[in-house]
Amino acid sequence: MGNDWMPGPRTEILAMCRKWLSYLTAALLAAWGITQDQFTELQTLFTNAEAMFLKASDAAERTHVITVECQAAFTALTTKMRFFRDRYFKMPPLTEGDWAALGFKQKAAPSPVPTPEGVPAPSLSYPGGPHALLVHLGPMAGTQELDPASDYGYAMYVGIMPPDGATLEQAASDKHYLMKMPADGKGLQHYRFTRRRKEKLVFDAEDGGMSVWVCCRYENQKGEVGQWGPVVSAIIP
């Protein structure tokens, strides 16, 4: 496993376990909830694996039986070490110093995800077919180069407005028809998040002849959004 903490060579497995046994004082066993029986079992498995490793490393003494027994001893030891790691070695109560003393690599701090700084500029076209529009997504011309970590994808907002604006009843319906032209995306309903450069919008037949308004803003992987891009509109065919 590429991100596995367990060493591969047997010498390194023994070296790590030896660190554990020398570092785990009675006070730490109590603080971390490790029973004496578990600690003693780890000591026994380590001693057995070390002895079998020395036998298997001696060409004059090594036999097929010893090779098999050595493999079994290391399987038992690494199984117990994984149990210790998963059950007892938690941060907290462990500190960074404890973590390093036990032979683990320092945990890297997660890279901060910046707030989106790009500004998207959607455009609309007619792809063919009834009641459909195609939204083309991309950065506004002349804006700075996008940062893939912050300008991760597009949050799209869409609103539909009947000719001359919606009545109070239409505005209160499930579709929340617009009563007036929106100045920005604040008056539009969130439609979807996408990383695609083209998104097809398909409307109900009853919406044909009405105008659709679309506005977008960049969104990062934490769900944080940037500033609004321009609002664009078209007539629903």
Side-chain angles (χ1 to χ4, degrees):
M1 297 172 61
N3 60 350
D4 194 4
W5 57 268
M6 181 69 72
R10 288 173 176 174
T11 53
E12 294 181 17
I13 294 172
L14 292 172
M16 173 175 272
C17 190
R18 192 178 294 110
K19 285 183 179 181
W20 294 11
L21 295 174
S22 62
Y23 189 72
L24 290 172
T25 63
L28 287 179
L29 293 179
W32 297 351
I34 304 173
T35 65
Q36 186 60 50
D37 288 346
Q38 287 289 350
F39 183 70
T40 300
E41 185 176 351
L42 181 63
Q43 285 179 312
T44 301
L45 291 172
F46 169 79
T47 301
N48 184 45
E50 185 176 46
M52 294 307 304
F53 177 75
L54 293 174
K55 286 185 178 181
S57 300
D58 187 341
E61 189 175 358
R62 184 173 63 243
T63 64
H64 176 69
V65 172
I66 289 177
T67 300
V68 172
E69 289 180 347
C70 183
Q71 177 63 47
F74 272 87
T75 297
L77 176 62
T78 55
T79 298
K80 178 58 68 174
M81 289 174 68
R82 291 187 186 280
F83 172 80
F84 265 65
R85 167 64 179 82
D86 295 340
R87 178 74 176 272
Y88 301 123
F89 298 160
K90 305 293 185 181
M91 296 177 63
L94 276 72
T95 64
E96 291 287 350
D98 294 325
W99 194 256
L102 292 169
F104 297 118
K105 294 180 180 179
Q106 296 298 102
K107 291 188 173 181
S111 300
V113 178
T115 301
E117 295 184 357
V119 180
S123 62
L124 303 175
S125 67
Y126 295 97
H131 321 304
L133 284 166
L134 193 62
V135 183
H136 303 264
L137 297 162
M140 183 179 292
T143 57
Q144 64 184 37
E145 184 177 351
L146 299 182
D147 180 351
S150 60
D151 305 310
Y152 181 69
Y154 302 91
M156 290 178 50
Y157 299 77
V158 177
I160 302 172
M161 189 176 75
D164 300 322
T167 64
L168 288 174
E169 183 179 1
Q170 287 175 317
S173 69
D174 292 340
K175 291 189 177 181
H176 302 286
Y177 288 109
L178 300 173
M179 300 181 70
K180 61 180 181 179
M181 295 184 295
D184 54 33
K186 295 178 183 177
L188 307 179
Q189 296 293 310
H190 182 263
Y191 182 73
R192 70 168 60 128
F193 170 84
T194 181
R195 299 195 68 202
R196 296 160 58 95
R197 299 299 296 269
K198 295 180 182 180
E199 282 290 337
K200 188 176 183 180
L201 304 180
V202 179
F203 302 92
D204 295 332
E206 63 186 18
D207 298 330
M210 298 185 185
S211 58
V212 60
W213 297 80
V214 178
C215 190
C216 302
R217 50 186 177 178
Y218 281 109
E219 183 175 322
N220 65 19
Q221 295 184 58
K222 294 169 58 179
E224 298 171 332
V225 292
Q227 60 180 303
W228 293 108
V231 183
V232 294
S233 67
I235 301 299
I236 300 172

